[in-house]
Every structure is written in structure tokens, then in C-alpha cells.
Amino acid sequence: MEGKSMRLRYLIIIGWIAVLSAYNTAPAQLAIDSKGTDFWLTFMPNFHQAANYDSLYIFIAASTPTQGEITYRNRQGANFQQNFSITDTNQIYKFNIAWPGFELEGFNRSGLFINNSQNETIANQSFHITSENEVTVYALSQAIKTSDAFLTLPTDALGTNYYVMSYSSDGTIVGKSSISTQSTPSQCAVVATDSNTVIHIIPSVPTVIGGIEPRDITLQKGEVYLLQAAITPVNLRGDLTGTNITSNKPIAVFSGHQRSKIPLQNAVDLTSRDFLCEEIPPVTTWG
């Protein structure tokens, strides 16, 4: 867990640099912060041990009383809605739902390789939070042995140019040429906040379906695109860090790892493996 603690400190520093840069380079009325009235998010694949106990959480905090709604879709595209109200600003509103059907599915479903993964296809599993007054939103992908929480950026803080920050895939070989089902990838996901959003992706390493080739995709409002690094016997450590994602309309970008060992070079000494996820700030907030 020491490695994850170092990662958290690093991300906190990077986050503060991004926020301070935004404040120092933009007029006061245009300053970017984490408060807003409109948010989009998705949950990337985690590694679950017991489906009955694992959940996806959304936490909403407000400095003034407010109300709003969470609208979300499952893998089949069915729509759901949950209204919320915050009257006591000392209390945080908590929403949770069991992960099956609402979390994106990669090629490794918790130790089982699947043929119907959502890699590089248009997916439905997004969550949209709106409120009357400004709120702060963070989310948690919870599993018995691997969890991570992440701050969600409001739609008015999003942009059209991103670079992915991830971590090396953790691939292992069984026998002479087979990939172990414990192999987990570097990954990222994109959520469209508006219809007819054209997205251009330049992968830094080969991905599961499209390889290293750049690709253009068009997403409608609320649709999601999952990207995972390919794990092969000759490429066990693919890292999507540096992948460039641009679009013609604002998008939300999330990146991390399904279940990482940190530091990877000392992985043989570690028994802990953790899901990693952060929402990536756009290049315009770098300063």
C-alpha cells in the first residue's frame, strides 16, 4: 500500500498545480474549479471477487442547500433516475448501486477472459448529475480487495484536448505462451457531454482492438468509449500514458488501471493490487 500512498500524494500535487495554474492564468470569472451544476462520469472495469458485495458510489457535497438528479444507464441502454436533496450542508449525499451492468466491461471480467467486452465499441454506462446550486462530486469504485475514489470535474471545466496518465499493464504468462487471467491492463474511457461529438485518439501503445493505429469515433450525448492496452506474451507492460485524445466538443476523460501493482518492478514482493482511476484535466488547465 506504500506505493499507492505515494501515488496519491503525487496526484494531489499534480491536482493543485493544475488548479493553481488555472487561477493564475485565467480571469477571475473564468477560473476553473471542481464545483458545478452539471457532471458526467463513468466507471472503468474493476476486478471483483464477490459481485454481491461490490458497489459503485457517487458522493455529492454542497455548501448551500440544493436538490438535483442523477440519471444513468446500464449496458443495455435502459435509463434510470434518482432524485436527491441536500438540506443539511454538513451531510454528504451518498448514492450507490451494485456494479454488474453499470460498470464498463473490459476483456478481463475479474479473472475471466470474455469475448463480448466493450473495448473500443460505443457503450452506454454513463452517469449524469445535475443540481440547482453548485455541488462537488466524487465517486468510488468499491471492491472487496481493490477500490479507488476519484474527483469528478464539472462539465464547465472540461475541454477538447487531453493526454492520458495511466500505469503499465500487469501481464503474466502461464506456461510458454498463454496470458494469465490475472493479467490486468492500463485503461482509459471517454464520455461525450453532447451529441455528434467527434473524437480523435492517438494511442501510445497497441490497444485490444485497434492496435497502435489512430482512430476517429463519433459519440452521442452520454455515450462512452473504453480503451484498454493489449496484453500479449511479447507485450506484457503496455502503458496508455501519453495517449492523446482530442474532440470537437467537451468530453470527460478517465484513466487508470484495472488492478495494478505499484511499483511494478518489485511486483513479486507485493500481495496488494489496486484499481486506479482519476478524471484527467484538459490541457488548457495545465498553465
Side-chain angles (χ1 to χ4, degrees):
M1 300 304 292
E2 180 180 354
K4 188 167 186 179
S5 177
M6 292 176 62
R7 167 188 167 274
L8 289 174
R9 289 196 293 270
Y10 175 73
L11 288 175
I12 289 171
I13 292 171
I14 292 297
W16 274 112
I17 290 173
V19 171
L20 291 175
S21 296
Y23 273 105
N24 290 334
T25 59
Q29 68 270 23
L30 298 178
I32 302 299
D33 61 23
S34 60
K35 295 181 179 180
T37 59
D38 191 279
F39 300 79
W40 288 93
L41 66 94
T42 191
F43 290 93
M44 297 190 299
N46 198 339
F47 201 97
H48 300 277
Q49 301 289 339
N52 293 335
Y53 298 99
D54 294 353
S55 296
L56 309 175
Y57 290 85
I58 295 174
F59 300 93
I60 304 174
S63 57
T64 57
T66 190
Q67 59 185 0
E69 64 181 24
I70 303 171
T71 56
Y72 54 103
R73 297 186 297 190
N74 64 9
R75 178 167 182 166
Q76 290 70 39
N79 294 295
F80 303 86
Q81 179 177 316
Q82 175 66 51
N83 296 326
F84 69 88
S85 177
I86 300 176
T87 56
D88 181 357
T89 56
N90 292 316
Q91 300 295 319
I92 295 176
Y93 177 82
K94 180 179 72 174
F95 166 87
N96 69 285
I97 190 170
W99 71 272
F102 295 98
E103 177 182 287
L104 296 173
E105 289 199 69
F107 68 84
N108 188 339
R109 184 190 291 160
S110 304
L112 176 67
F113 291 153
I114 60 175
N115 295 321
N116 63 335
S117 83
Q118 294 182 288
N119 263 288
E120 297 161 65
T121 62
I122 295 176
N124 293 309
Q125 297 104 298
S126 65
F127 292 76
H128 187 205
I129 299 99
T130 57
S131 61
E132 292 182 353
N133 298 319
E134 285 195 331
V135 296
T136 299
V137 176
Y138 66 100
L140 167 67
S141 177
Q142 176 269 326
I144 291 178
K145 295 184 178 180
T146 168
S147 303
D148 200 12
F150 54 94
L151 178 70
T152 302
L153 300 177
T155 304
D156 61 12
L158 302 180
T160 59
N161 187 12
Y162 293 83
Y163 283 93
V164 168
M165 177 186 289
S166 185
Y167 198 72
S168 299
S169 298
D170 180 16
T172 55
I173 297 177
V174 176
K176 295 182 178 180
S177 60
S178 298
I179 301 300
S180 165
T181 56
Q182 295 300 304
S183 299
T184 51
S186 174
Q187 59 187 3
C188 66
V190 181
V191 183
T193 66
D194 200 358
S195 294
N196 299 315
T197 299
V198 180
I199 300 168
H200 183 63
I201 300 176
I202 305 175
S204 59
V205 294
T207 61
V208 173
I209 305 297
I212 197 66
E213 293 300 318
R215 72 285 312 264
D216 292 293
I217 57 171
T218 299
L219 299 181
Q220 303 307 314
K221 188 174 184 178
E223 290 182 338
V224 186
Y225 189 80
L226 171 68
L227 206 64
Q228 292 185 313
I231 299 178
T232 67
V234 296
N235 186 19
L236 298 173
R237 302 285 183 259
D239 183 357
L240 287 172
T241 295
T243 294
N244 184 218
I245 303 175
T246 57
S247 60
N248 66 332
K249 297 180 180 181
I251 54 176
V253 177
F254 301 83
S255 71
H257 197 292
Q258 186 178 11
R259 196 183 184 198
S260 67
K261 294 178 182 177
I262 300 178
L264 190 60
Q265 61 267 30
N266 297 325
V268 293
D269 301 322
L270 299 177
T271 57
S272 177
R273 302 175 67 198
D274 289 297
F275 172 72
L276 302 178
C277 182
E278 296 293 340
E279 181 167 4
I280 301 299
V283 172
T284 52
T285 65
W286 289 11

